[in-house]
Amino acid sequence: MKKKLWAIVVAALLVVCIGAAVSCNDGGDDDSDDAADDDAADDDDAADDDDAADDDDDTVDDDDDDDDSGPLTEDCEPYGYGEPPVVVRGPYLQHTTQNSVRILWQTKTPSNSIVRFGLDETLGYYHCDLEPVKYHEVEVDKLSPETVYHYLVRSDGAQSPLHTFATAPLYDSPFMFAVYGDNRTQPVEHQLVVDGIMAESPDFVINVGDVVTHGWVFLEYDEEFFGQTGELMANTPIYISIGNHEAESVFYYNLFSLPGNEQWYTFDYGNARFIAINSNWSLTPDSVQVQWLEEALQQAVADGVEWIFTFCHHPAYSEGMSGFGGKLQIRNNFLPLMEEYGVDAFFNGHAHDYEHGFLNGVHHVLSGGGGAPLSGHKNDFEHVSIFDSRYHYVKVEISGGTADLYAVNPDGTVFDSFTLEH
């Protein structure tokens, strides 16, 4: 009789333990989802009497049965994995919306993916994925617009320092972003530019490509990009338009998580629509990408956004490269669409300098002074009002119908500026 009672007790304990473990993994079957939802609801009830927990309740909408985030519990992370894995890169931020953010990091060995986050450093919420991977990508959603969150990541016991991210602002709120590119080859110069950008505290950054010298050499992504941008990207998302030096490498697409198909895409921030183009591809009038661009521009006009910005690696015109005055397919097939649909500014790089021109209603801003060896003055176009071969970034401040653009040295001094008004 005692043996039977003891067996019943052990079986009951096993059921409880298994139920607790399943509640962590919201990516399982329907029964697992129900268990996770029940645990999250229990935690919400327990937190009703806790003022601090009440403050964090606004960060996540717990009404959605498919939510894979919830209040922080001790059951989220399993134990017994031995030595923690080595985090070799990150965490870093990618695509951010009013209600979500993508957080990426990489570990040397496969491990689970856990993000803890909250309105303060107590980090009252989590996202938990137990599938062991080396390339970790977690999309935290159901967030509040225009809100700063604290976060850290964990993988089988390895833990990052605390960082912050901010969700995208409401439509009418002011915001600021930075643009730069062609940071490849010279890490010291690249670091100077990144330090200048960090001092500005932009809401996000656009990089117009050529982030490494050789896209198929994996080590260069750390030596020429992440080694300089790690601190920046831990708190600030970066959007990239792929350059020719990335050479359509699988390493590039594994390391970054951009909207859409990641080659050409759109995103909204505040009252602006941003349209990224892959200028490495054929851009003939009947190409998929040219047709996509026209549809994207038509949609931006239909949506009534205040600002439309486009960006890619290659310019339509450039004064900084011998034998290259700009990509003719962009000049002949993209520019007419930009002009027709009212694009405000077209950001690009490829030449390693700064150029600003105004043609048929579109501002052309070439920002290729991110670290690569600088270009000399080789060509001349009447509409290009300034050519300056120096390391720099461009700062853009948006407030309603006003956009102020500044070309900035790494030390923060401005050497060119202009204002757009609607």
Side-chain angles (χ1 to χ4, degrees), residues 284-357:
T284 57
D286 60 348
S287 65
V288 171
Q289 194 171 181
V290 171
Q291 295 175 20
W292 172 88
L293 175 62
E294 182 165 22
E295 293 172 359
L297 290 170
Q298 289 173 342
Q299 189 62 56
V301 172
D303 292 342
V305 295
E306 184 71 30
W307 299 98
I308 304 176
F309 299 112
T310 58
F311 63 101
C312 71
H313 182 62
H314 295 88
Y317 297 91
S318 173
E319 297 189 345
M321 297 185 73
S322 180
F324 177 81
K327 187 158 185 171
L328 293 180
Q329 288 186 337
I330 293 178
R331 189 184 304 177
N332 296 332
N333 302 326
F334 273 16
L335 281 191
L337 295 175
M338 295 184 195
E339 294 164 2
E340 178 181 355
Y341 292 102
V343 169
D344 294 289
F346 170 37
F347 299 103
N348 48 76
H350 196 56
H352 305 158
D353 54 64
Y354 170 79
E355 302 176 37
H356 172 222

Side-chain angles (χ1 to χ4, degrees), residues 32-56:
S32 298
D33 290 339
D34 292 340
D37 290 341
D38 291 341
D39 287 347
D42 291 342
D43 288 337
D44 284 343
D45 293 339
D48 286 342
D49 297 328
D50 190 329
D51 292 339
D54 285 343
D55 292 338
D56 273 349

Side-chain angles (χ1 to χ4, degrees), residues 5 54 89 100 130 134 159 254 257 267 281 291 300 353:
L5 288 174
D54 285 343
R89 194 173 298 105
S100 66
L130 297 185
K134 290 183 180 181
Q159 179 172 299
N254 282 344
S257 179
F267 68 94
W281 284 51
Q291 295 175 20
D353 54 64

Side-chain angles (χ1 to χ4, degrees), residues 26-294:
D26 293 335
D29 57 20
D30 293 338
D31 292 338
S32 298
D33 290 339
D34 292 340
D37 290 341
D38 291 341
D39 287 347
D42 291 342
D43 288 337
D44 284 343
D45 293 339
D48 286 342
D49 297 328
D50 190 329
D51 292 339
D54 285 343
D55 292 338
D56 273 349
D57 283 344
D58 293 335
T59 65
V60 176
D61 180 2
D62 294 324
D63 293 335
D64 193 329
D65 292 337
D66 294 329
D67 185 17
D68 54 4
S69 301
L72 186 62
T73 71
E74 293 298 327
D75 298 326
C76 179
E77 186 168 4
Y79 298 94
Y81 276 80
E83 290 296 321
V86 175
V87 177
V88 296
R89 194 173 298 105
Y92 53 99
L93 304 179
Q94 293 280 259
H95 183 40
T96 302
T97 72
Q98 289 184 342
N99 307 111
S100 66
V101 63
R102 295 179 189 174
I103 303 174
L104 283 71
W105 69 101
Q106 288 88 51
T107 51
K108 190 172 183 179
T109 55
S111 54
N112 60 17
S113 306
I114 298 169
V115 174
R116 294 183 174 181
F117 65 98
L119 292 175
D120 56 37
E121 295 183 2
T122 60
L123 308 178
Y125 286 82
Y126 74 94
H127 179 114
C128 181
D129 187 346
L130 297 185
E131 181 182 359
V133 295
K134 290 183 180 181
Y135 289 85
H136 304 262
E137 178 178 338
V138 171
E139 181 160 346
V140 180
D141 59 5
K142 300 185 187 321
L143 304 172
S144 299
E146 205 168 310
T147 302
V148 174
Y149 292 86
H150 299 259
Y151 82 96
L152 58 78
V153 303
R154 290 179 62 87
S155 287
D156 291 345
Q159 179 172 299
S160 76
L162 275 170
H163 301 291
T164 61
F165 65 82
T167 49
L170 299 172
Y171 184 85
D172 293 325
S173 297
F175 65 95
M176 187 264 282
F177 65 97
V179 181
Y180 84 116
D182 295 273
N183 55 263
R184 64 171 178 82
T185 309
Q186 299 185 149
V188 173
E189 287 77 4
H190 182 205
Q191 187 67 68
L192 293 174
V193 175
V194 170
D195 289 345
I197 292 173
M198 285 196 295
E200 304 279 5
S201 299
D203 294 295
F204 65 93
V205 176
I206 287 174
N207 185 302
V208 294
D210 277 5
V211 299
V212 294
T213 307
H214 305 97
W216 288 91
V217 178
F218 188 74
L219 289 177
E220 288 188 3
Y221 287 91
D222 287 323
E223 294 171 352
E224 299 182 4
F225 186 73
F226 286 103
Q228 296 74 50
T229 62
E231 182 179 352
L232 171 66
M233 293 184 70
N235 305 285
T236 307
I238 289 185
Y239 294 87
I240 303 173
S241 56
I242 188 170
N244 57 292
H245 277 265
E246 282 80 82
E248 298 295 329
S249 168
V250 66
F251 299 145
Y252 171 86
Y253 290 108
N254 282 344
L255 289 169
F256 301 106
S257 179
L258 301 165
N261 68 8
E262 300 189 276
Q263 299 177 68
W264 49 87
Y265 58 89
T266 70
F267 68 94
D268 289 351
Y269 203 92
N271 61 359
R273 175 73 47 84
F274 295 84
I275 302 176
I277 299 161
N278 184 342
S279 57
N280 297 319
W281 284 51
S282 174
L283 305 174
T284 57
D286 60 348
S287 65
V288 171
Q289 194 171 181
V290 171
Q291 295 175 20
W292 172 88
L293 175 62
E294 182 165 22

